[in-house]
Amino acid sequence: AQKITQTQPGMFVQEKEAVTLDCTYDTSDQSYGLFWYKQPSSGEMIFLIYQGSYDEQNATEGRYSLNFQKARKSANLVISASQLGDSAMYFCAMRDHHSGNTPLVFGKGTRLSVIA
Amino acid sequence: GAVVSQHPSRVICKSGTSVKIECRSLDFQATTMFWYRQFPKQSLMLMATSNEGSKATYEQGVEKDKFLINHASLTLSTLTVTSAHPEDSSFYICSVTDRVDTEAFFGQGTRLTVV
């Protein structure tokens, strides 16, 4: 079974600073994908970034980067130059690649608050 | 990317009544859709997998007679909460994926309040 662990219930960051949100995972699958989603108070799920287990380079999408350490089974999200609009819940998720259309498994999330 | 439309976005109903939530995949045919439930300040928990033309698969602890799922076409899945009670009040959200190595696309979610 797959499991995602996010150990930081809440994080604070000063505007314009960088912040790292932690995520570790557990799976017996060799091929899988790791995701980060942002959920503002409206509830919508906003896709941020994806990392495949066989991708050799860390994924980057604008101000978002994923620090993928496969041996440690970690997939931390780094947000650079934080903005007030980044305040939201952030979920790390994963799914395996070999079982057809499978759902995402989510961590408990981290609430990020950006301070002016 | 796929566009998923979920309706209604917010509903308030009386205890004992039923509520239907629709999830539409607008730009591709989804043979599988996923339904999640999210209680306040908690994570998304998978409720069931909706399969076009066949019965849904429910996660352990989810009452299939209470949460009826119908996936009658490749673009529409519905979740009906039957005989709703206050403890069913939650945020329900659907999801589709067209490829295993890309993001999952989510509907806007439905905030259900049972009074």
Side-chain angles (χ1 to χ4, degrees):
Chain A
Q2 299 167 332
K3 184 178 180 181
I4 294 284
T5 302
Q6 294 180 257
T7 57
Q8 305 156 314
M11 289 282 286
F12 290 89
V13 63
Q14 201 77 33
E15 194 178 9
K16 300 180 184 178
E17 296 293 313
V19 63
T20 298
L21 305 184
D22 294 341
C23 173
T24 58
Y25 62 92
D26 191 24
T27 180
S28 57
D29 298 312
Q30 296 300 311
S31 180
Y32 50 88
L34 297 156
F35 304 79
W36 278 92
Y37 281 83
K38 172 184 177 182
Q39 187 182 44
S41 57
S42 63
E44 62 180 312
M45 295 295 285
I46 301 170
F47 168 73
L48 297 178
I49 197 165
Y50 163 82
Q51 177 86 41
S53 59
Y54 287 110
D55 294 339
E56 295 185 352
Q57 290 193 326
N58 287 341
T60 60
E61 289 286 349
R63 295 187 298 113
Y64 305 107
S65 60
L66 199 152
N67 185 356
F68 180 45
Q69 299 187 41
K70 193 171 182 177
R72 297 179 59 184
K73 293 189 175 180
S74 74
N76 298 339
L77 177 70
V78 180
I79 305 174
S80 62
S82 296
Q83 302 171 356
L84 294 178
D86 293 335
S87 294
M89 281 293 291
Y90 288 81
F91 291 99
C92 181
M94 75 177 301
R95 62 183 295 185
D96 70 65
H97 281 179
H98 73 271
S99 302
N101 204 339
T102 55
L104 294 182
V105 175
F106 288 88
K108 291 186 175 181
T110 296
R111 179 167 295 282
L112 178 66
S113 299
V114 181
I115 305 167
Chain B
V3 177
V4 182
S5 176
Q6 186 173 341
H7 179 79
S9 58
R10 190 179 294 268
V11 59
I12 300 173
C13 71
K14 291 185 177 180
S15 186
T17 61
S18 296
V19 173
K20 180 185 284 187
I21 302 169
E22 293 187 349
C23 179
R24 293 182 184 273
S25 175
L26 299 182
D27 56 355
F28 83 97
Q29 296 179 329
T31 56
T32 302
M33 293 184 180
F34 303 105
W35 286 95
Y36 294 84
R37 178 169 55 184
Q38 184 181 28
F39 290 109
K41 298 185 179 181
Q42 294 189 23
S43 186
L44 281 74
M45 297 299 295
L46 181 69
M47 295 179 64
T49 300
S50 173
N51 302 298
E52 188 270 335
S54 64
K55 291 183 179 180
T57 305
Y58 291 83
E59 296 300 298
Q60 190 173 9
V62 178
E63 301 174 57
K64 60 182 179 182
D65 294 331
K66 181 171 186 62
F67 298 98
L68 301 180
I69 291 175
N70 185 294
H71 195 151
S73 77
L74 288 171
T75 59
L76 174 64
S77 175
T78 60
L79 168 66
T80 301
V81 184
T82 63
S83 187
H85 291 285
E87 56 265 32
D88 299 323
S89 297
S90 188
F91 186 69
Y92 295 86
I93 191 166
C94 64
S95 171
V96 302
T97 308
D98 57 353
R99 285 170 46 187
V100 294
D101 60 346
T102 60
E103 66 189 277
F105 302 95
F106 288 85
Q108 300 91 329
T110 298
R111 205 167 295 279
L112 170 64
T113 303
V114 184
V115 298

